[in-house]
Amino acid sequence: IQSGYDAEQRDVGFWYISDDNSASCVGMPPPKFAERLSRERNLPSGAAYPVSNVYYMASGPLGSYFVRFASGETWWGLGGTCPSQHEQFAQIMKKIEVRRIAFGPPCSEFIKGGSTVTVVPWVAIGTDGTVAWSSSLPSSLERLFSDRPRDLAAPVEVSLGAGGSYFVKFADGNFKC
């Protein structure tokens, strides 16, 4: 990733994929993705990250990311400190072919024994319209997914915001927020 933009000092970046499927990045990729990319692609320290084969990417807080390469291979990482949430996320990523995914702002949850963990809410939409989500979503959004009749249009886009806000677009053009 070569750029005149001085994003490295701010530990931020953005990715874009053009209509011709060429990908580019300004700044830094999510840290967990950058670490894996360096490790698996044997990149020397300070080398430019190869992004031309990234087909789809979503990033979120605390290093959360999902990447689908042009080859169909997928990589993912979830931020937060809750082992059961990481386990659930990994199981879902192996089960469905993700079309879209959104990560929400991190929040704290109490677990048995009085401990507190940090969780990153997420929603994944499969290519077949399957929707999977973390247990840390707002209850209204969980109901929207769990109570939605199967004969209605499937979700195609989703975003998660602060304070329990969300946006969901369905295949028929309708949306909920």
Side-chain angles (χ1 to χ4, degrees):
I1 300 169
Q2 301 296 328
S3 168
Y5 180 68
D6 190 21
E8 290 79 9
Q9 293 178 353
R10 294 180 197 86
D11 197 27
V12 297
F14 65 89
W15 295 71
Y16 60 91
I17 301 173
S18 303
D19 290 340
D20 65 359
N21 286 330
S22 62
S24 192
C25 175
V26 174
M28 296 296 294
K32 290 181 181 182
F33 174 57
E35 288 168 17
R36 183 166 180 189
L37 196 57
S38 293
R39 185 177 63 247
E40 297 215 11
R41 300 295 195 251
N42 296 320
L43 296 175
S45 179
Y49 292 99
V51 297
S52 61
N53 63 346
V54 173
Y55 177 75
Y56 172 76
M57 180 177 193
S59 61
L62 305 177
S64 301
Y65 74 93
F66 175 89
V67 177
R68 176 178 305 283
F69 294 98
S71 66
E73 180 181 11
T74 58
W75 292 359
W76 62 83
L78 185 64
T81 59
C82 182
S84 63
Q85 189 191 35
H86 291 159
E87 217 171 276
Q88 177 198 23
F89 185 72
Q91 289 173 357
I92 295 298
M93 294 299 102
K94 292 174 186 174
K95 270 187 195 174
I96 68 172
E97 186 176 334
V98 174
R99 180 180 183 279
R100 292 287 184 264
I101 191 164
F103 300 99
C107 55
S108 296
E109 286 189 0
F110 294 102
I111 59 173
K112 291 179 185 175
S115 306
T116 304
V117 293
T118 303
V119 297
V120 175
W122 55 269
V123 175
I125 301 173
T127 55
D128 63 356
T130 301
V131 181
W133 59 90
S134 66
S135 60
S136 50
L137 292 183
S139 57
S140 59
L141 184 53
E142 283 192 44
R143 281 193 305 276
L144 177 66
F145 293 139
S146 63
D147 297 348
R148 189 165 178 83
R150 291 188 174 267
D151 61 335
L152 293 180
V156 293
E157 299 289 345
V158 63
S159 62
L160 302 172
S165 63
Y166 60 86
F167 174 84
V168 181
K169 180 181 175 188
F170 299 93
D172 62 6
N174 287 320
F175 64 91
K176 296 280 184 186
C177 50

